[in-house]
Amino acid sequence: MNAPESPRAAVRLRPEIAALPPYRQGRPAPADGFKLSSNENPFDPLPSVAAAVAASATSINRYPDATALALRETLAARYGVTADEVLVGAGSVALLAALIQAAAAPGDEVVYSWRSFEAYPGLVTVSGASSVQVPNRADHGHDLDAMAAAITDRTRVVIVCSPNNPTGTVVTAAEFEAFMAKVPADLLVLLDEAYIEFVRDGASVDGATLLGRYPNLVVLRTFSKAYGLAGLRVGYAIGPEAILDAARATITPLSVTAASTAAAIASLEPVAEAELQSRVQVIAERRDRVRAALIAQGWPIPVAQGNFIWLPSGEATTEVADRLFDAGLVTRAFPPAGIRVSIGEEESVDTLLRILGELVPASQEGRPV
């Protein structure tokens, strides 16, 4: 008679990682619906960019340039820095992960506003550090004074997101400069500007104007949104060489493909970029029109400077998101706070306004800002 098998021992995992919910994309849109959940650019790729991607396919048997030197040189010339002061990664989120891991370890802290980009808590946990989440102001923007006050001897990184994802608010240049004056010079500050191209507020901070001014500042941007390359995953960081070298040591090697770099370089060609910027203008105007219509309905929509709007639906968040889904609109719900609605195709606007017009909150405690 065979002896019974002993139960297998559970694989030992880091408990804080095992408890982390994995990233999950939103529900797919129905065939006749619209995906307004991922802040994607709704326009088709430019033919010149698609051609550059197709041309890169002839060398897919070879590894890409691990440093993406051609793209770094192009970006360096644009921003007046050296190529070593530019780091390219598989989307700005990969760069965030590398920079956080380079600076923060178990026992350390990372300060950021909340609610903000949903990846921040997970990235901090993976590094072994702890999150210090500073509540947004009543207008859904960063409370930089409170963030500065939250800095301790254990703080190793502060993240400032402008425009803030998912609320759409910006940090002004004056606010950011006052904040940097309070921050220790040896504390890494990450200015996450994934949606900077959609900003139409002249008072907003612009990391490109701050390069070389602060030895502890790194600016992060991406080709995913304004440039419409979300499917290729390519972003970049600009900052002091020593900081970026530390991130280079932690980032996954060869994670940026030849297709990604070819598409990004093609997107920066003058004719292509002019067309892409005209598309960004269309989205920004559509965003402002949608926001104005929702405010007229009675929704307290904060100022929006990304390619999305924030719907502070509170306890009704799941119900509102389900109603929109039933109408063919997939949105990003964050119960019980609100819903982020990407600005998508023009054809989605009438349905969005019609459904939300039927769901205006009875309470007007939060007035439009």
Side-chain angles (χ1 to χ4, degrees), residues 48-86:
S48 62
V49 174
V53 172
S56 74
T58 61
S59 60
I60 59 174
N61 58 310
R62 305 293 184 184
Y63 285 115
D65 174 6
T67 70
L69 178 60
L71 178 55
R72 287 192 295 119
E73 289 178 336
T74 301
L75 291 168
R78 165 170 297 220
Y79 291 106
V81 299
T82 69
D84 289 333
E85 292 172 304
V86 181

PDB file of all heavy atoms in Angstrom, residues 48-86:
ATOM      1  N   SER A  48       3.702  57.624 -41.476  1.00  0.00           N
ATOM      2  CA  SER A  48       5.167  57.654 -41.411  1.00  0.00           C
ATOM      3  C   SER A  48       5.682  56.892 -40.196  1.00  0.00           C
ATOM      4  O   SER A  48       6.750  56.249 -40.262  1.00  0.00           O
ATOM      5  CB  SER A  48       5.653  59.106 -41.366  1.00  0.00           C
ATOM      6  OG  SER A  48       5.167  59.778 -40.210  1.00  0.00           O
ATOM      7  N   VAL A  49       4.956  56.956 -39.106  1.00  0.00           N
ATOM      8  CA  VAL A  49       5.364  56.231 -37.898  1.00  0.00           C
ATOM      9  C   VAL A  49       5.153  54.733 -38.097  1.00  0.00           C
ATOM     10  O   VAL A  49       6.018  53.913 -37.745  1.00  0.00           O
ATOM     11  CB  VAL A  49       4.590  56.742 -36.673  1.00  0.00           C
ATOM     12  CG1 VAL A  49       4.910  55.902 -35.439  1.00  0.00           C
ATOM     13  CG2 VAL A  49       4.918  58.209 -36.411  1.00  0.00           C
ATOM     14  N   ALA A  50       4.026  54.358 -38.683  1.00  0.00           N
ATOM     15  CA  ALA A  50       3.769  52.945 -38.958  1.00  0.00           C
ATOM     16  C   ALA A  50       4.822  52.377 -39.908  1.00  0.00           C
ATOM     17  O   ALA A  50       5.261  51.228 -39.758  1.00  0.00           O
ATOM     18  CB  ALA A  50       2.370  52.771 -39.547  1.00  0.00           C
ATOM     19  N   ALA A  51       5.255  53.196 -40.863  1.00  0.00           N
ATOM     20  CA  ALA A  51       6.289  52.741 -41.799  1.00  0.00           C
ATOM     21  C   ALA A  51       7.615  52.514 -41.088  1.00  0.00           C
ATOM     22  O   ALA A  51       8.347  51.561 -41.394  1.00  0.00           O
ATOM     23  CB  ALA A  51       6.450  53.759 -42.927  1.00  0.00           C
ATOM     24  N   ALA A  52       7.947  53.394 -40.144  1.00  0.00           N
ATOM     25  CA  ALA A  52       9.185  53.229 -39.392  1.00  0.00           C
ATOM     26  C   ALA A  52       9.146  51.949 -38.557  1.00  0.00           C
ATOM     27  O   ALA A  52      10.156  51.236 -38.444  1.00  0.00           O
ATOM     28  CB  ALA A  52       9.412  54.443 -38.492  1.00  0.00           C
ATOM     29  N   VAL A  53       7.990  51.648 -37.989  1.00  0.00           N
ATOM     30  CA  VAL A  53       7.840  50.416 -37.208  1.00  0.00           C
ATOM     31  C   VAL A  53       7.987  49.200 -38.118  1.00  0.00           C
ATOM     32  O   VAL A  53       8.675  48.222 -37.791  1.00  0.00           O
ATOM     33  CB  VAL A  53       6.491  50.396 -36.478  1.00  0.00           C
ATOM     34  CG1 VAL A  53       6.246  49.045 -35.821  1.00  0.00           C
ATOM     35  CG2 VAL A  53       6.431  51.506 -35.434  1.00  0.00           C
ATOM     36  N   ALA A  54       7.355  49.264 -39.294  1.00  0.00           N
ATOM     37  CA  ALA A  54       7.436  48.143 -40.232  1.00  0.00           C
ATOM     38  C   ALA A  54       8.873  47.904 -40.671  1.00  0.00           C
ATOM     39  O   ALA A  54       9.322  46.754 -40.777  1.00  0.00           O
ATOM     40  CB  ALA A  54       6.542  48.416 -41.447  1.00  0.00           C
ATOM     41  N   ALA A  55       9.613  48.989 -40.908  1.00  0.00           N
ATOM     42  CA  ALA A  55      11.004  48.850 -41.340  1.00  0.00           C
ATOM     43  C   ALA A  55      11.856  48.189 -40.267  1.00  0.00           C
ATOM     44  O   ALA A  55      12.800  47.451 -40.575  1.00  0.00           O
ATOM     45  CB  ALA A  55      11.571  50.211 -41.704  1.00  0.00           C
ATOM     46  N   SER A  56      11.532  48.447 -38.999  1.00  0.00           N
ATOM     47  CA  SER A  56      12.312  47.858 -37.906  1.00  0.00           C
ATOM     48  C   SER A  56      12.132  46.348 -37.821  1.00  0.00           C
ATOM     49  O   SER A  56      12.950  45.650 -37.212  1.00  0.00           O
ATOM     50  CB  SER A  56      11.919  48.498 -36.569  1.00  0.00           C
ATOM     51  OG  SER A  56      10.640  48.038 -36.136  1.00  0.00           O
ATOM     52  N   ALA A  57      11.084  45.815 -38.458  1.00  0.00           N
ATOM     53  CA  ALA A  57      10.810  44.382 -38.380  1.00  0.00           C
ATOM     54  C   ALA A  57      11.854  43.552 -39.105  1.00  0.00           C
ATOM     55  O   ALA A  57      11.968  42.343 -38.871  1.00  0.00           O
ATOM     56  CB  ALA A  57       9.424  44.083 -38.952  1.00  0.00           C
ATOM     57  N   THR A  58      12.629  44.180 -39.967  1.00  0.00           N
ATOM     58  CA  THR A  58      13.654  43.416 -40.693  1.00  0.00           C
ATOM     59  C   THR A  58      14.819  42.989 -39.804  1.00  0.00           C
ATOM     60  O   THR A  58      15.640  42.177 -40.224  1.00  0.00           O
ATOM     61  CB  THR A  58      14.200  44.247 -41.869  1.00  0.00           C
ATOM     62  OG1 THR A  58      14.812  45.445 -41.362  1.00  0.00           O
ATOM     63  CG2 THR A  58      13.078  44.617 -42.836  1.00  0.00           C
ATOM     64  N   SER A  59      14.859  43.529 -38.589  1.00  0.00           N
ATOM     65  CA  SER A  59      15.977  43.184 -37.697  1.00  0.00           C
ATOM     66  C   SER A  59      15.513  42.604 -36.367  1.00  0.00           C
ATOM     67  O   SER A  59      16.226  42.691 -35.367  1.00  0.00           O
ATOM     68  CB  SER A  59      16.846  44.419 -37.441  1.00  0.00           C
ATOM     69  OG  SER A  59      16.082  45.446 -36.827  1.00  0.00           O
ATOM     70  N   ILE A  60      14.316  42.013 -36.354  1.00  0.00           N
ATOM     71  CA  ILE A  60      13.808  41.512 -35.073  1.00  0.00           C
ATOM     72  C   ILE A  60      14.564  40.283 -34.582  1.00  0.00           C
ATOM     73  O   ILE A  60      14.359  39.841 -33.441  1.00  0.00           O
ATOM     74  CB  ILE A  60      12.293  41.201 -35.126  1.00  0.00           C
ATOM     75  CG1 ILE A  60      11.994  40.160 -36.209  1.00  0.00           C
ATOM     76  CG2 ILE A  60      11.498  42.475 -35.332  1.00  0.00           C
ATOM     77  CD1 ILE A  60      10.530  39.713 -36.210  1.00  0.00           C
ATOM     78  N   ASN A  61      15.449  39.735 -35.408  1.00  0.00           N
ATOM     79  CA  ASN A  61      16.303  38.643 -34.944  1.00  0.00           C
ATOM     80  C   ASN A  61      17.482  39.140 -34.131  1.00  0.00           C
ATOM     81  O   ASN A  61      18.230  38.354 -33.546  1.00  0.00           O
ATOM     82  CB  ASN A  61      16.821  37.831 -36.130  1.00  0.00           C
ATOM     83  CG  ASN A  61      17.594  38.686 -37.116  1.00  0.00           C
ATOM     84  OD1 ASN A  61      17.097  39.739 -37.533  1.00  0.00           O
ATOM     85  ND2 ASN A  61      18.782  38.237 -37.510  1.00  0.00           N
ATOM     86  N   ARG A  62      17.662  40.455 -34.064  1.00  0.00           N
ATOM     87  CA  ARG A  62      18.751  41.063 -33.312  1.00  0.00           C
ATOM     88  C   ARG A  62      18.218  41.804 -32.093  1.00  0.00           C
ATOM     89  O   ARG A  62      17.102  42.338 -32.117  1.00  0.00           O
ATOM     90  CB  ARG A  62      19.521  42.054 -34.189  1.00  0.00           C
ATOM     91  CG  ARG A  62      20.055  41.470 -35.485  1.00  0.00           C
ATOM     92  CD  ARG A  62      21.136  40.449 -35.227  1.00  0.00           C
ATOM     93  NE  ARG A  62      21.718  39.967 -36.488  1.00  0.00           N
ATOM     94  CZ  ARG A  62      22.642  39.013 -36.555  1.00  0.00           C
ATOM     95  NH1 ARG A  62      23.095  38.442 -35.447  1.00  0.00           N
ATOM     96  NH2 ARG A  62      23.117  38.629 -37.727  1.00  0.00           N
ATOM     97  N   TYR A  63      19.036  41.870 -31.050  1.00  0.00           N
ATOM     98  CA  TYR A  63      18.673  42.684 -29.894  1.00  0.00           C
ATOM     99  C   TYR A  63      18.708  44.165 -30.271  1.00  0.00           C
ATOM    100  O   TYR A  63      19.532  44.586 -31.095  1.00  0.00           O
ATOM    101  CB  TYR A  63      19.648  42.446 -28.737  1.00  0.00           C
ATOM    102  CG  TYR A  63      19.454  41.132 -28.022  1.00  0.00           C
ATOM    103  CD1 TYR A  63      20.447  40.153 -28.065  1.00  0.00           C
ATOM    104  CD2 TYR A  63      18.302  40.883 -27.297  1.00  0.00           C
ATOM    105  CE1 TYR A  63      20.288  38.944 -27.411  1.00  0.00           C
ATOM    106  CE2 TYR A  63      18.132  39.676 -26.631  1.00  0.00           C
ATOM    107  CZ  TYR A  63      19.124  38.707 -26.690  1.00  0.00           C
ATOM    108  OH  TYR A  63      18.955  37.521 -26.043  1.00  0.00           O
ATOM    109  N   PRO A  64      17.844  44.958 -29.648  1.00  0.00           N
ATOM    110  CA  PRO A  64      17.897  46.400 -29.895  1.00  0.00           C
ATOM    111  C   PRO A  64      19.092  47.028 -29.179  1.00  0.00           C
ATOM    112  O   PRO A  64      19.742  46.385 -28.346  1.00  0.00           O
ATOM    113  CB  PRO A  64      16.579  46.899 -29.290  1.00  0.00           C
ATOM    114  CG  PRO A  64      16.297  45.940 -28.176  1.00  0.00           C
ATOM    115  CD  PRO A  64      16.786  44.597 -28.683  1.00  0.00           C
ATOM    116  N   ASP A  65      19.375  48.274 -29.516  1.00  0.00           N
ATOM    117  CA  ASP A  65      20.389  49.035 -28.789  1.00  0.00           C
ATOM    118  C   ASP A  65      19.916  49.178 -27.351  1.00  0.00           C
ATOM    119  O   ASP A  65      18.882  49.803 -27.080  1.00  0.00           O
ATOM    120  CB  ASP A  65      20.566  50.408 -29.441  1.00  0.00           C
ATOM    121  CG  ASP A  65      21.495  51.325 -28.658  1.00  0.00           C
ATOM    122  OD1 ASP A  65      22.102  50.866 -27.667  1.00  0.00           O
ATOM    123  OD2 ASP A  65      21.602  52.501 -29.022  1.00  0.00           O
ATOM    124  N   ALA A  66      20.668  48.637 -26.427  1.00  0.00           N
ATOM    125  CA  ALA A  66      20.232  48.609 -25.024  1.00  0.00           C
ATOM    126  C   ALA A  66      20.075  49.997 -24.437  1.00  0.00           C
ATOM    127  O   ALA A  66      19.321  50.184 -23.476  1.00  0.00           O
ATOM    128  CB  ALA A  66      21.225  47.801 -24.188  1.00  0.00           C
ATOM    129  N   THR A  67      20.777  50.987 -24.999  1.00  0.00           N
ATOM    130  CA  THR A  67      20.703  52.338 -24.431  1.00  0.00           C
ATOM    131  C   THR A  67      19.797  53.273 -25.225  1.00  0.00           C
ATOM    132  O   THR A  67      19.625  54.421 -24.837  1.00  0.00           O
ATOM    133  CB  THR A  67      22.104  52.966 -24.368  1.00  0.00           C
ATOM    134  OG1 THR A  67      22.556  53.263 -25.702  1.00  0.00           O
ATOM    135  CG2 THR A  67      23.091  52.040 -23.676  1.00  0.00           C
ATOM    136  N   ALA A  68      19.248  52.788 -26.350  1.00  0.00           N
ATOM    137  CA  ALA A  68      18.411  53.628 -27.217  1.00  0.00           C
ATOM    138  C   ALA A  68      19.129  54.940 -27.543  1.00  0.00           C
ATOM    139  O   ALA A  68      18.564  56.029 -27.446  1.00  0.00           O
ATOM    140  CB  ALA A  68      17.057  53.894 -26.575  1.00  0.00           C
ATOM    141  N   LEU A  69      20.401  54.820 -27.929  1.00  0.00           N
ATOM    142  CA  LEU A  69      21.239  55.999 -28.088  1.00  0.00           C
ATOM    143  C   LEU A  69      20.682  56.990 -29.105  1.00  0.00           C
ATOM    144  O   LEU A  69      20.696  58.205 -28.864  1.00  0.00           O
ATOM    145  CB  LEU A  69      22.655  55.580 -28.493  1.00  0.00           C
ATOM    146  CG  LEU A  69      23.649  56.724 -28.740  1.00  0.00           C
ATOM    147  CD1 LEU A  69      23.807  57.568 -27.477  1.00  0.00           C
ATOM    148  CD2 LEU A  69      24.991  56.185 -29.210  1.00  0.00           C
ATOM    149  N   ALA A  70      20.204  56.513 -30.243  1.00  0.00           N
ATOM    150  CA  ALA A  70      19.705  57.433 -31.268  1.00  0.00           C
ATOM    151  C   ALA A  70      18.551  58.280 -30.738  1.00  0.00           C
ATOM    152  O   ALA A  70      18.479  59.491 -30.989  1.00  0.00           O
ATOM    153  CB  ALA A  70      19.275  56.656 -32.510  1.00  0.00           C
ATOM    154  N   LEU A  71      17.654  57.658 -29.993  1.00  0.00           N
ATOM    155  CA  LEU A  71      16.531  58.405 -29.420  1.00  0.00           C
ATOM    156  C   LEU A  71      17.018  59.337 -28.327  1.00  0.00           C
ATOM    157  O   LEU A  71      16.572  60.492 -28.231  1.00  0.00           O
ATOM    158  CB  LEU A  71      15.482  57.439 -28.873  1.00  0.00           C
ATOM    159  CG  LEU A  71      14.269  58.078 -28.189  1.00  0.00           C
ATOM    160  CD1 LEU A  71      13.576  59.084 -29.090  1.00  0.00           C
ATOM    161  CD2 LEU A  71      13.279  56.993 -27.731  1.00  0.00           C
ATOM    162  N   ARG A  72      17.951  58.877 -27.504  1.00  0.00           N
ATOM    163  CA  ARG A  72      18.470  59.748 -26.450  1.00  0.00           C
ATOM    164  C   ARG A  72      19.160  60.975 -27.035  1.00  0.00           C
ATOM    165  O   ARG A  72      19.021  62.088 -26.513  1.00  0.00           O
ATOM    166  CB  ARG A  72      19.435  58.970 -25.549  1.00  0.00           C
ATOM    167  CG  ARG A  72      18.738  57.975 -24.627  1.00  0.00           C
ATOM    168  CD  ARG A  72      19.671  57.450 -23.553  1.00  0.00           C
ATOM    169  NE  ARG A  72      20.763  56.667 -24.099  1.00  0.00           N
ATOM    170  CZ  ARG A  72      22.045  56.968 -23.969  1.00  0.00           C
ATOM    171  NH1 ARG A  72      22.411  58.064 -23.301  1.00  0.00           N
ATOM    172  NH2 ARG A  72      22.977  56.192 -24.480  1.00  0.00           N
ATOM    173  N   GLU A  73      19.894  60.788 -28.125  1.00  0.00           N
ATOM    174  CA  GLU A  73      20.561  61.927 -28.757  1.00  0.00           C
ATOM    175  C   GLU A  73      19.550  62.904 -29.336  1.00  0.00           C
ATOM    176  O   GLU A  73      19.737  64.129 -29.249  1.00  0.00           O
ATOM    177  CB  GLU A  73      21.512  61.431 -29.848  1.00  0.00           C
ATOM    178  CG  GLU A  73      22.745  60.723 -29.288  1.00  0.00           C
ATOM    179  CD  GLU A  73      23.660  60.193 -30.375  1.00  0.00           C
ATOM    180  OE1 GLU A  73      23.158  59.961 -31.508  1.00  0.00           O
ATOM    181  OE2 GLU A  73      24.851  60.003 -30.103  1.00  0.00           O
ATOM    182  N   THR A  74      18.474  62.380 -29.910  1.00  0.00           N
ATOM    183  CA  THR A  74      17.428  63.250 -30.450  1.00  0.00           C
ATOM    184  C   THR A  74      16.773  64.067 -29.343  1.00  0.00           C
ATOM    185  O   THR A  74      16.562  65.279 -29.479  1.00  0.00           O
ATOM    186  CB  THR A  74      16.371  62.406 -31.186  1.00  0.00           C
ATOM    187  OG1 THR A  74      16.996  61.672 -32.237  1.00  0.00           O
ATOM    188  CG2 THR A  74      15.271  63.283 -31.762  1.00  0.00           C
ATOM    189  N   LEU A  75      16.464  63.414 -28.239  1.00  0.00           N
ATOM    190  CA  LEU A  75      15.838  64.106 -27.111  1.00  0.00           C
ATOM    191  C   LEU A  75      16.808  65.076 -26.452  1.00  0.00           C
ATOM    192  O   LEU A  75      16.422  66.174 -26.035  1.00  0.00           O
ATOM    193  CB  LEU A  75      15.329  63.085 -26.097  1.00  0.00           C
ATOM    194  CG  LEU A  75      14.142  62.232 -26.563  1.00  0.00           C
ATOM    195  CD1 LEU A  75      13.922  61.057 -25.608  1.00  0.00           C
ATOM    196  CD2 LEU A  75      12.875  63.080 -26.657  1.00  0.00           C
ATOM    197  N   ALA A  76      18.073  64.688 -26.354  1.00  0.00           N
ATOM    198  CA  ALA A  76      19.079  65.561 -25.746  1.00  0.00           C
ATOM    199  C   ALA A  76      19.207  66.861 -26.524  1.00  0.00           C
ATOM    200  O   ALA A  76      19.301  67.956 -25.935  1.00  0.00           O
ATOM    201  CB  ALA A  76      20.422  64.841 -25.673  1.00  0.00           C
ATOM    202  N   ALA A  77      19.203  66.772 -27.846  1.00  0.00           N
ATOM    203  CA  ALA A  77      19.292  67.973 -28.670  1.00  0.00           C
ATOM    204  C   ALA A  77      18.072  68.856 -28.467  1.00  0.00           C
ATOM    205  O   ALA A  77      18.175  70.093 -28.443  1.00  0.00           O
ATOM    206  CB  ALA A  77      19.436  67.576 -30.137  1.00  0.00           C
ATOM    207  N   ARG A  78      16.936  68.242 -28.306  1.00  0.00           N
ATOM    208  CA  ARG A  78      15.702  69.009 -28.114  1.00  0.00           C
ATOM    209  C   ARG A  78      15.714  69.775 -26.797  1.00  0.00           C
ATOM    210  O   ARG A  78      15.280  70.925 -26.732  1.00  0.00           O
ATOM    211  CB  ARG A  78      14.502  68.052 -28.143  1.00  0.00           C
ATOM    212  CG  ARG A  78      13.204  68.643 -27.607  1.00  0.00           C
ATOM    213  CD  ARG A  78      12.032  67.741 -27.898  1.00  0.00           C
ATOM    214  NE  ARG A  78      11.857  67.613 -29.344  1.00  0.00           N
ATOM    215  CZ  ARG A  78      10.673  67.603 -29.945  1.00  0.00           C
ATOM    216  NH1 ARG A  78       9.571  67.712 -29.231  1.00  0.00           N
ATOM    217  NH2 ARG A  78      10.579  67.468 -31.234  1.00  0.00           N
ATOM    218  N   TYR A  79      16.200  69.153 -25.730  1.00  0.00           N
ATOM    219  CA  TYR A  79      16.115  69.758 -24.404  1.00  0.00           C
ATOM    220  C   TYR A  79      17.407  70.438 -23.958  1.00  0.00           C
ATOM    221  O   TYR A  79      17.468  70.950 -22.840  1.00  0.00           O
ATOM    222  CB  TYR A  79      15.701  68.699 -23.390  1.00  0.00           C
ATOM    223  CG  TYR A  79      14.271  68.238 -23.572  1.00  0.00           C
ATOM    224  CD1 TYR A  79      13.981  66.989 -24.120  1.00  0.00           C
ATOM    225  CD2 TYR A  79      13.205  69.063 -23.221  1.00  0.00           C
ATOM    226  CE1 TYR A  79      12.672  66.568 -24.304  1.00  0.00           C
ATOM    227  CE2 TYR A  79      11.898  68.647 -23.404  1.00  0.00           C
ATOM    228  CZ  TYR A  79      11.637  67.405 -23.942  1.00  0.00           C
ATOM    229  OH  TYR A  79      10.333  67.002 -24.134  1.00  0.00           O
ATOM    230  N   GLY A  80      18.417  70.445 -24.801  1.00  0.00           N
ATOM    231  CA  GLY A  80      19.652  71.127 -24.447  1.00  0.00           C
ATOM    232  C   GLY A  80      20.435  70.454 -23.344  1.00  0.00           C
ATOM    233  O   GLY A  80      21.054  71.121 -22.507  1.00  0.00           O
ATOM    234  N   VAL A  81      20.420  69.121 -23.336  1.00  0.00           N
ATOM    235  CA  VAL A  81      21.168  68.347 -22.344  1.00  0.00           C
ATOM    236  C   VAL A  81      22.059  67.364 -23.091  1.00  0.00           C
ATOM    237  O   VAL A  81      22.025  67.277 -24.318  1.00  0.00           O
ATOM    238  CB  VAL A  81      20.232  67.603 -21.371  1.00  0.00           C
ATOM    239  CG1 VAL A  81      19.358  68.585 -20.598  1.00  0.00           C
ATOM    240  CG2 VAL A  81      19.342  66.595 -22.124  1.00  0.00           C
ATOM    241  N   THR A  82      22.842  66.597 -22.354  1.00  0.00           N
ATOM    242  CA  THR A  82      23.651  65.557 -22.977  1.00  0.00           C
ATOM    243  C   THR A  82      22.847  64.263 -23.065  1.00  0.00           C
ATOM    244  O   THR A  82      21.864  64.071 -22.325  1.00  0.00           O
ATOM    245  CB  THR A  82      24.932  65.295 -22.187  1.00  0.00           C
ATOM    246  OG1 THR A  82      24.583  64.667 -20.927  1.00  0.00           O
ATOM    247  CG2 THR A  82      25.683  66.593 -21.916  1.00  0.00           C
ATOM    248  N   ALA A  83      23.283  63.371 -23.937  1.00  0.00           N
ATOM    249  CA  ALA A  83      22.594  62.090 -24.071  1.00  0.00           C
ATOM    250  C   ALA A  83      22.638  61.287 -22.774  1.00  0.00           C
ATOM    251  O   ALA A  83      21.726  60.500 -22.484  1.00  0.00           O
ATOM    252  CB  ALA A  83      23.209  61.284 -25.216  1.00  0.00           C
ATOM    253  N   ASP A  84      23.684  61.483 -21.971  1.00  0.00           N
ATOM    254  CA  ASP A  84      23.787  60.770 -20.700  1.00  0.00           C
ATOM    255  C   ASP A  84      22.821  61.309 -19.649  1.00  0.00           C
ATOM    256  O   ASP A  84      22.655  60.692 -18.586  1.00  0.00           O
ATOM    257  CB  ASP A  84      25.217  60.844 -20.164  1.00  0.00           C
ATOM    258  CG  ASP A  84      26.175  59.998 -20.988  1.00  0.00           C
ATOM    259  OD1 ASP A  84      25.718  59.005 -21.595  1.00  0.00           O
ATOM    260  OD2 ASP A  84      27.376  60.326 -21.031  1.00  0.00           O
ATOM    261  N   GLU A  85      22.227  62.451 -19.938  1.00  0.00           N
ATOM    262  CA  GLU A  85      21.216  63.019 -19.037  1.00  0.00           C
ATOM    263  C   GLU A  85      19.806  62.647 -19.469  1.00  0.00           C
ATOM    264  O   GLU A  85      18.825  63.215 -18.982  1.00  0.00           O
ATOM    265  CB  GLU A  85      21.378  64.535 -18.976  1.00  0.00           C
ATOM    266  CG  GLU A  85      22.661  64.979 -18.297  1.00  0.00           C
ATOM    267  CD  GLU A  85      22.911  66.464 -18.408  1.00  0.00           C
ATOM    268  OE1 GLU A  85      22.943  66.983 -19.552  1.00  0.00           O
ATOM    269  OE2 GLU A  85      23.063  67.123 -17.351  1.00  0.00           O
ATOM    270  N   VAL A  86      19.705  61.679 -20.364  1.00  0.00           N
ATOM    271  CA  VAL A  86      18.423  61.152 -20.822  1.00  0.00           C
ATOM    272  C   VAL A  86      18.427  59.645 -20.630  1.00  0.00           C
ATOM    273  O   VAL A  86      19.407  58.971 -20.970  1.00  0.00           O
ATOM    274  CB  VAL A  86      18.165  61.483 -22.303  1.00  0.00           C
ATOM    275  CG1 VAL A  86      16.798  60.941 -22.742  1.00  0.00           C
ATOM    276  CG2 VAL A  86      18.238  62.981 -22.551  1.00  0.00           C
TER     277      VAL A  86
END
